Each structure stands twice: as structure tokens, then as C-alpha cells.
Amino acid sequence: MEHKNLRKTEGLPLYFGIASAVLILIYQILYSGVSVAYTKVKLSQMGYTYNISPVLNAVQMIIGYIIYPGIFLILLLLGANKPKRGSAFSIVWLIFSALSIISNVTTLFNASLRDLSNQMVPGGFYPYMIIGLLGYICMLVSCILMLKRLHTPEKLQEVSNEASQNQ
């Protein structure tokens, strides 16, 4: 029977993961109103009206507030201090975070969204975009650290942990 290389989620990967979920949630809250207003403005310029139904609004909020940062945080915490974490979790969330970073960086160059955000969000566009970017970067770092831990032999990791505790 093959032995899977499973590790505990603890230390820096856990802390970066928790920080990412909190930062992404704050970003999603600040961005939700701006995204709806931006969509209304762009569609009205093309001659369309934008009326979002309460059901679609609820679905959007569930996805934005619960699924993306929430599922990551729940799965992260389920693996805390238990040897449950394999490489699939890290690879999937590494891809999600990399795509989100690319999306956020391209959004930074959208002038009309920036102007609308400066009118709607206290402090303007860049503070909440940087919060989101930092959240996705923390998720990326957490996944990279988990993958690094998976590919470090367990005995070598125990020796380095003991050395750091003795200092």
C-alpha cells in the first residue's frame, strides 16, 4: 500500500491563509457596491438598463463573501494540526490566487472604474484594491509554503524545527 505524503497545516502557511481570507473578505465587501455601480454605468452607456434581482444579488454575495475566502479558510482550518494536507489543495488554491492576482493587477489600470470607485469608496480606489491584492498574495504565499513543506523530507523538517526552538 502506498503511503501518501500528508502534512499538518500549521505555522506560517496557516497564518498566511487566515490573513488572506480576512483581507479578501474585506476587499469583497468594499468592492461589491462599486462593481454593481460600474456595471450599471457601462450598460446605461450602451442603452441597457441594469436591474439585478434579489436572488441574483444573494447568489453573488454568497459566492463573493462565503465561497471564495470561506471555503479556503474552512479547508485550511480543517487541516490545522492534523496530517490531512496533500499537494492538491495547494495547487488548486495556488492557481486561483494567481488568476486573482492577474485580474486585480489588470483592474488597477481601469480608469473609469478607478474614477467611479474614488466617488463611492472612502479613501478611494487604490486602498481597497491593494487590500485585495495583498489577500491574494497571502493566499499564494500560504500555498507555496505548504507545497515546500510537502516536498521537504519530514525528518529534515523536524530537525530544523528543533533547531529554531532551541534558539
Side-chain angles (χ1 to χ4, degrees):
M1 189 164 156
E2 183 183 339
H3 179 325
K4 287 188 170 188
N5 187 13
L6 299 176
R7 296 289 171 88
K8 296 178 183 179
T9 305
E10 58 188 359
L12 282 178
L14 180 65
Y15 301 141
F16 272 108
I18 292 170
S20 75
V22 170
L23 290 170
I24 292 170
L25 182 61
I26 292 169
Y27 163 72
Q28 290 291 347
I29 290 169
L30 291 173
Y31 186 67
S32 63
V34 174
S35 66
V36 170
Y38 180 72
T39 304
K40 282 183 180 181
V41 167
K42 286 299 178 183
L43 288 176
S44 69
Q45 288 173 352
M46 296 181 342
Y48 298 106
T49 58
Y50 177 76
N51 292 324
I52 189 166
S53 72
V55 173
L56 287 176
N57 192 28
V59 168
Q60 178 186 5
M61 290 176 70
I62 288 170
I63 291 171
Y65 300 147
I66 297 170
I67 291 182
Y68 194 31
I71 298 265
F72 174 74
L73 184 62
I74 289 168
L75 291 174
L76 187 76
L77 293 176
L78 283 175
N81 300 319
K82 297 176 197 148
K84 288 179 117 177
R85 191 65 59 226
S87 61
F89 173 85
S90 300
I91 292 170
V92 167
W93 288 101
L94 187 115
I95 292 168
F96 284 159
S97 62
L99 291 174
S100 297
I101 288 170
I102 292 168
S103 173
N104 264 29
V105 168
T106 58
T107 302
L108 284 172
F109 299 106
N110 187 334
S112 57
L113 180 61
R114 182 186 61 233
D115 295 339
L116 183 65
S117 298
N118 285 334
Q119 296 171 10
M120 293 182 66
V121 178
F125 177 70
Y126 291 109
Y128 80 83
M129 288 303 293
I130 290 172
I131 288 172
L133 196 57
L134 286 174
Y136 297 126
I137 289 171
C138 283
M139 184 183 288
L140 184 78
V141 169
S142 174
C143 293
I144 289 170
L145 290 172
M146 279 189 261
L147 282 173
K148 182 182 175 204
R149 187 172 288 174
L150 277 169
H151 295 291
T152 303
E154 209 165 351
K155 293 184 185 212
L156 180 63
Q157 187 177 0
E158 289 174 9
V159 169
S160 66
N161 286 344
E162 288 175 12
S164 65
Q165 288 176 355
N166 291 335
Q167 292 179 353

